[in-house]
Amino acid sequence: MSKPPRRIAPLLPIVQVDWEDSTSQSPWGEVSEHLQHGALMCQTFGYLLKRTKQALVVVQNAALITTDELHHVSNSMTIPMGCVKRVTYLR
């Protein structure tokens, strides 16, 4: 078996995704209290596994089968493109 590369970055780009997420308030309260909460700005960092018109899939971990073939990934997050504000390619 050949040695894996030192980094997976050549296979999957490393990205920072700035995206907006919804919030919810569950306890009973005045209407004005519920209107004070807006969407949250979030950031996700990881390997960009897939990008479509509908969504981004970012994973935190990746394992290789060979030096140029992915074997397994874990801790994936699918972010709808409607929520994505910016994608920055870090490597």
Side-chain angles (χ1 to χ4, degrees):
M1 187 156 96
S2 60
K3 285 186 173 182
R6 294 176 193 260
R7 294 185 343 206
I8 295 174
L11 300 176
L12 294 175
I14 299 172
V15 295
Q16 171 187 326
V17 182
D18 298 325
W19 57 284
E20 193 171 39
D21 198 5
S22 58
T23 61
S24 66
Q25 300 297 316
S26 59
W28 284 94
E30 297 290 325
V31 171
S32 60
E33 293 174 32
H34 286 268
L35 294 176
Q36 292 175 9
H37 302 281
L40 293 175
M41 285 305 299
C42 302
Q43 288 184 324
T44 296
F45 296 84
Y47 295 107
L48 180 60
L49 185 64
K50 186 175 183 181
R51 182 178 190 155
T52 68
K53 291 180 181 178
Q54 291 78 33
L56 297 176
V57 180
V58 178
V59 298
Q60 297 299 308
N61 305 297
L64 300 173
I65 249 182
T66 65
T67 57
D68 61 354
E69 185 179 3
L70 285 172
H71 187 244
H72 285 94
V73 295
S74 68
N75 297 326
S76 67
M77 174 172 272
T78 301
I79 305 169
M81 288 303 288
C83 298
V84 173
K85 300 302 179 188
R86 179 176 48 200
V87 177
T88 303
Y89 287 81
L90 304 174
R91 288 192 179 167

